[in-house]
Amino acid sequence: MALVLALAPGTALAEPLRLVALGDSLTQGYGLPQEQGLVPQLQGWLRAVGHDVIVINAGVSGDTTAGGLSRLDWTLADRPDAMIVALGGNDLLRGIDPAASRANLDAILSRLETKEVPAMLVGLSAAGNFGPEFQQAFEAMYPDLAATYDAVLYPDLLAPITARYRAGEDLGDLMQEDGLHPSAAGVEEIVEAWGPAVSSWLRTIEASEE
């Protein structure tokens, strides 16, 4: 005998929230087995605390803010319910003028606002390699743009690693041999620190859709 589940008129099965992570190699999971990358670990963490969410990996290794902007429409074609914007690391490594990076992120957030896609902007801390003015301009663009577009801000994706670096502690267990990309253990620490902020943001989105 077949078991038939009848839905009341107007009732639909809830679908998982589709969260796109637009980023570079840090998002893409460079140098790690797929299941140990940032997106799978974040998805697992969010599901473990009760979110019905699919985190879609839109990270491209080597991408700058300009690259992220250039593929934004293609990414939006996936019809996300929300988007994490985690770009700027390669701009920083290449010493790209922060004014150009700011303009690209501004255009991304403006487009998301137009499309009514909630955004979380994820920043990075900058070392002083290119001078204090560069450092200040780079770090300031994230909170400035988040405030302009009412986006949720997470100031530093690499916060646990940054904290240990500034404390003069060894980073060997958290970083891959290239010294640029986190190891699986490093990603785990990043997600443990970042997860609560993402979870809180998603709960506001989920509540608004009820």
Side-chain angles (χ1 to χ4, degrees):
M1 181 176 65
L3 177 63
V4 178
L5 296 178
L7 295 175
T11 302
L13 292 173
E15 295 184 355
L17 187 145
R18 296 170 61 81
L19 172 61
V20 168
L22 179 69
D24 50 32
S25 57
L26 297 175
T27 303
Q28 183 261 336
Y30 177 88
L32 297 173
Q34 182 177 354
E35 69 278 5
Q36 294 179 1
L38 183 67
V39 166
Q41 288 207 46
L42 178 61
Q43 178 176 279
W45 193 98
L46 292 170
R47 287 181 173 179
V49 298
H51 294 282
D52 186 15
V53 61
I54 297 172
V55 186
I56 299 165
N57 193 336
V60 172
S61 185
D63 228 358
T64 60
T65 55
L69 175 59
S70 71
R71 58 190 175 89
L72 180 60
D73 283 345
W74 177 83
T75 305
L76 285 169
D78 214 13
R79 298 185 179 278
D81 297 303
M83 187 176 293
I84 292 167
V85 180
L87 289 161
N90 288 306
D91 299 53
L92 180 59
L93 288 173
R94 299 176 191 182
I96 293 172
D97 184 350
S101 303
R102 176 190 284 261
N104 293 326
L105 290 173
D106 187 293
I108 289 171
L109 293 173
S110 176
R111 181 80 170 134
L112 295 180
E113 182 178 68
T114 299
K115 289 290 188 179
E116 298 184 340
V117 176
M120 170 178 277
L121 183 60
V122 178
L124 291 166
S125 62
N129 307 48
F130 299 104
E133 290 185 5
F134 182 103
Q135 182 181 32
Q136 183 178 9
F138 183 89
E139 293 184 347
M141 69 183 179
Y142 293 105
D144 288 352
L145 289 170
T148 297
Y149 289 100
D150 197 26
V152 173
L153 174 67
Y154 188 72
D156 184 4
L157 178 63
L158 302 178
I161 296 172
T162 302
R164 281 181 52 172
Y165 173 79
R166 289 176 175 169
E169 298 177 11
D170 181 66
L171 299 177
D173 59 324
L174 301 184
M175 300 298 290
Q176 298 181 42
E177 291 184 2
D178 64 6
L180 294 174
H181 298 92
S183 64
V187 171
E188 184 175 355
E189 289 211 16
I190 289 167
V191 169
E192 285 294 328
W194 183 30
V198 180
S199 176
S200 177
W201 173 52
L202 293 186
R203 292 203 189 283
T204 65
I205 296 171
E206 292 161 350
S208 70
E209 294 181 350
E210 290 178 354

